[in-house]
Amino acid sequence: VLAAMVLGDRTHLPKDLRSAYQAAGLSHVLVVSGIHVSILCGSVFAKYLPEKKKRERGYASRRRQALFSAAMALLLAGVTGLTPSVLRAATAVWVSALGVWVYGPPDALTSLGVAGVWMTLGNSYAVCDIGFELSFAAVLGTLAGAELARKGRRFPLLRNGVWETLCVSACASAATFPVLVLRGLSASLYALVSSVAVLWLVEPILQLGLATALLGCWPALAPLHRVCSLCAATLAGCLNRWALWVSGWPGAQIYFDTACAALICANGHGPVPGQGVAAIMTHFVREIPGGIELRSRFWIGYGLVDGRLVKLVPDGVSVPEEVPMGLFAHNLKEFGHLAAILPQVYAENKDNW
């Protein structure tokens, strides 16, 4: 869990624990994204800045804060290996920081828009990626929740962290709900309960996890490294126990209709068996009004050997960029042609089987 939350490495995360986090409405904390960048770039600076300087609203202070936030975003992006979700959030932070330095007013929506344009420069179809859609929907919901919480501070009873957490969690859940439905995923009934109960743990876990990773670079700081590691593991254990407990509650997950008309799987290879780049392929066909929806997934560099999924590309060797680009172009042509001819073929042959 620590590796997933701090480094973005979920390879060692057990499947049952992933399912438990999803059922508890906490799966987003296992994906390093906007919430982690916000915690590291915003709350760290605000919490540890001297109280006197917090009250200073001079432009020099804002510039220092912007520079600090940009540096923290760069640190997290580097630690996680420049994953798309972190790059999106980090780009928004960098744009905001640039605005401060050029005397521009902060605008979260503009920063988010610039991040989206930047992420789609290389591939405009990136907007079709479910991670892209969920990330942007969650950020928009978070911004709406923060604005709702700010307006609620006019009432004395709502001036607390629980109200802010509730607003942000509710709006983020509402914003991502349409994506979950359209993508045939599941949602948790207890996402709001989990957010209020344990989401505050994410901040200390992230800070202690990063401290543990950085302190491990200096052997002389081994005692401090062990203390940070123990504290981070203890808090992560609390989060795990909550997720496992809530996942056993009735109705923990709402599954949307994902029935498919056909599921086509294949074990592919190059033009000649044993040559070229191998791949596992799945076509998922779902009925929709007016026809079908076809979604495809390819695991390039993997193959089936004696009924088992095996990585065939040696460690350290990357699949040439031309392979997925060529496959992408092939699919566009193939699916476009099929969409044009299959309705007529079906109409002519549906009664002749």
Side-chain angles (χ1 to χ4, degrees):
V1 170
L2 279 175
M5 292 180 64
V6 179
L7 304 177
D9 181 9
R10 299 187 298 277
T11 55
H12 304 290
L13 200 62
K15 185 178 180 180
D16 57 341
L17 194 56
R18 289 195 191 193
S19 300
Y21 270 79
Q22 186 175 9
L26 293 171
S27 56
H28 58 285
V29 305
L30 299 177
V31 181
V32 184
S33 56
I35 184 175
H36 301 74
V37 176
S38 300
I39 289 172
L40 194 63
C41 298
S43 61
V44 171
F45 189 89
K47 181 174 291 188
Y48 299 114
L49 194 67
E51 193 65 31
K52 180 179 178 181
K53 290 190 176 182
K54 285 183 186 179
R55 294 193 297 265
E56 292 178 0
R57 305 308 298 172
Y59 208 79
S61 176
R62 291 179 58 198
R63 279 189 163 187
R64 286 195 298 270
Q65 180 174 353
L67 190 61
F68 178 86
S69 298
M72 290 296 99
L74 181 62
L75 172 65
L76 190 59
V79 167
T80 56
L82 302 176
T83 58
S85 58
V86 177
L87 271 181
R88 284 191 288 268
T91 302
V93 172
W94 295 330
V95 173
S96 296
L98 179 62
V100 173
W101 276 82
V102 298
Y103 299 94
D107 187 344
L109 291 177
T110 299
S111 300
L112 182 63
V114 172
V117 172
W118 177 262
M119 296 298 297
T120 56
L121 283 178
N123 178 14
S124 59
Y125 287 94
V127 295
C128 299
D129 178 68
I130 185 172
F132 188 98
E133 295 170 355
L134 285 173
S135 178
F136 267 76
V139 172
L140 288 174
T142 300
L143 294 175
E147 181 63 19
L148 181 62
R150 185 186 65 81
K151 291 183 177 180
R153 294 193 191 108
R154 294 177 295 179
F155 306 97
L157 293 177
L158 301 180
R159 294 174 184 173
N160 55 67
V162 174
W163 166 248
E164 184 174 355
T165 300
L166 191 61
C167 287
V168 171
S169 300
C171 290
S173 298
T176 55
F177 185 77
V179 180
L180 297 176
V181 174
L182 290 173
R183 291 293 190 167
L185 300 177
S186 63
S188 173
L189 286 176
Y190 308 111
L192 292 181
V193 176
S194 294
S195 296
V196 175
V198 298
L199 199 58
W200 60 272
L201 284 172
V202 174
E203 180 179 345
I205 290 175
L206 179 61
Q207 295 171 1
L208 288 169
L210 278 174
T212 300
L214 295 176
L215 289 172
C217 299
W218 291 278
L221 299 177
L224 187 58
H225 173 268
R226 283 193 292 270
V227 171
C228 290
S229 176
L230 179 62
C231 293
T234 301
L235 294 179
C238 294
L239 199 60
N240 290 345
R241 284 190 287 273
W242 171 270
L244 291 169
W245 180 46
V246 174
S247 65
W249 295 0
Q253 284 184 291
I254 304 174
Y255 290 94
F256 303 107
D257 182 19
T258 58
C260 63
L263 190 63
I264 306 154
C265 305
N267 184 28
H269 50 71
V272 178
Q275 299 180 13
V277 179
I280 299 293
M281 179 207 76
T282 297
H283 286 324
F284 183 93
V285 182
R286 183 172 64 172
E287 293 183 358
I288 60 172
I292 63 171
E293 175 189 78
L294 178 62
R295 286 180 284 170
S296 300
R297 297 292 183 269
F298 297 90
W299 290 266
I300 301 176
Y302 286 79
L304 285 177
V305 178
D306 297 328
R308 296 176 59 237
L309 185 64
V310 178
K311 179 183 177 184
L312 301 178
V313 178
D315 292 337
V317 177
S318 300
V319 175
E321 191 179 61
E322 293 78 10
V323 174
M325 291 179 64
L327 184 60
F328 182 66
H330 164 79
N331 286 343
L332 287 178
K333 295 177 182 178
E334 178 183 14
F335 299 159
H337 292 326
L338 289 176
I341 67 173
L342 282 184
Q344 181 179 352
V345 173
Y346 174 75
E348 294 174 352
N349 296 277
K350 64 179 181 179
D351 298 323
N352 299 326
W353 297 110

